[in-house]
Amino acid sequence: MNRFIPTAAFELRHAAPERTLWTLTDTHFRTVPAWGFGDATAAVRPDQSVIAAPASESTRIESSETRSSNTSQNLDELDLLRTPVVRLFSVRAVWLVLLTLFGMLTSTAVAAQTEMLEHVILLAAFIAPIVDMGGNAGSQSATLVIRALSTGTLQLCGRDLARVLGRELLVSGALGAVVALLEGLLAWVTKDAAPGVLCVVALSMFVCTAAGGVIGALLPFVAKRCGLDPATLSSPLITSVMDLLGVFIYFGLAYLFLADVLFG
């Protein structure tokens, strides 16, 4: 016995206005047995389309597994009201401990520049705003990407990742140029900084802001791909990454533009 639910294919778009619905109905159905869906479907030639077919057991199992997988994935994301307090603490504590160790690398890198800071003490005044700007820009872009991923606007695929990074590179570059000009102007007006210091501060601000935005847009994709909750990981990690990266960018440019002061 063939069990199926008949379906009708209507060609309403191209039909003449005087034709009735019944004359538009395609009644030439091909069916397959309910107990042999896979084999029967495979036996149908490509030119013999199946209008209606029962759902096989394997199809129902795959659908059930897909729903179960989606449910498990949703459970991996932390919920402030439904996730147990112990789990909230453990997940966040692990990352904060790791990021604390990461912060020690940043402090070590700054401490290694004692000699430079002794020669140009004014450089110390701009470390915090420069590295903070990279973290702020990264947090902004990460928040936008996380929201887009959660609402389904973005999918976890290479095409969406490339589109996001391309657009973010333009936006972050423009933002970096604006804050670099502003920081350089403020350094000149309030600190009466030398031209070399102004170049270091402005360029560092530009590079850190642009890099922070791009890295911030990338991290949620990486976290999602690794099965981690982007909301828990992205903002703290981007801050720590940009702290360390910002220090290397800042002092690297200082060595480049202030070599005559440091080694003269």
Side-chain angles (χ1 to χ4, degrees), residues 37-121:
F37 177 57
D39 296 337
T41 304
V44 177
R45 297 197 308 271
D47 60 336
Q48 295 176 329
S49 58
V50 178
I51 304 301
S56 65
E57 187 66 24
S58 60
T59 304
R60 289 192 292 269
I61 293 175
E62 290 177 0
S63 300
S64 176
E65 290 177 350
T66 302
R67 289 193 298 269
S68 177
S69 175
N70 292 337
T71 302
S72 298
Q73 185 176 4
N74 292 335
L75 289 177
D76 289 339
E77 299 183 355
L78 299 181
D79 188 296
L80 286 176
L81 298 179
R82 289 179 291 184
T83 302
V85 174
V86 174
R87 175 165 170 74
L88 284 174
F89 168 79
S90 61
V91 171
R92 295 173 62 180
V94 168
W95 285 112
L96 289 178
V97 169
L98 292 176
L99 295 177
T100 299
L101 299 177
F102 200 89
M104 288 300 298
L105 297 177
T106 304
S107 63
T108 302
V110 174
Q113 311 304 322
T114 303
E115 184 177 356
M116 176 189 291
L117 294 176
E118 289 177 351
H119 285 82
V120 189
I121 189 62

Side-chain angles (χ1 to χ4, degrees), residues 153-183:
T153 305
L154 290 177
Q155 301 299 322
L156 195 62
C157 62
R159 180 182 177 183
D160 281 357
L161 174 60
R163 290 174 58 197
V164 168
L165 292 182
R167 291 172 63 86
E168 185 58 37
L169 186 61
L170 295 175
V171 174
S172 297
L175 291 172
V178 171
V179 296
L181 290 175
L182 179 60
E183 187 72 17

Side-chain angles (χ1 to χ4, degrees), residues 129-215:
I130 288 174
V131 298
D132 285 348
M133 185 58 66
N136 293 337
S139 296
Q140 279 186 336
S141 60
T143 300
L144 293 175
V145 172
I146 290 171
R147 183 170 61 186
L149 286 172
S150 63
T151 58
T153 305
L154 290 177
Q155 301 299 322
L156 195 62
C157 62
R159 180 182 177 183
D160 281 357
L161 174 60
R163 290 174 58 197
V164 168
L165 292 182
R167 291 172 63 86
E168 185 58 37
L169 186 61
L170 295 175
V171 174
S172 297
L175 291 172
V178 171
V179 296
L181 290 175
L182 179 60
E183 187 72 17
L185 179 62
L186 293 175
W188 176 60
V189 172
T190 63
K191 305 291 193 303
D192 194 21
V197 175
L198 291 178
C199 290
V200 172
V201 170
L203 283 176
S204 298
M205 184 67 76
F206 170 76
V207 176
C208 286
T209 303
V214 173
I215 295 175

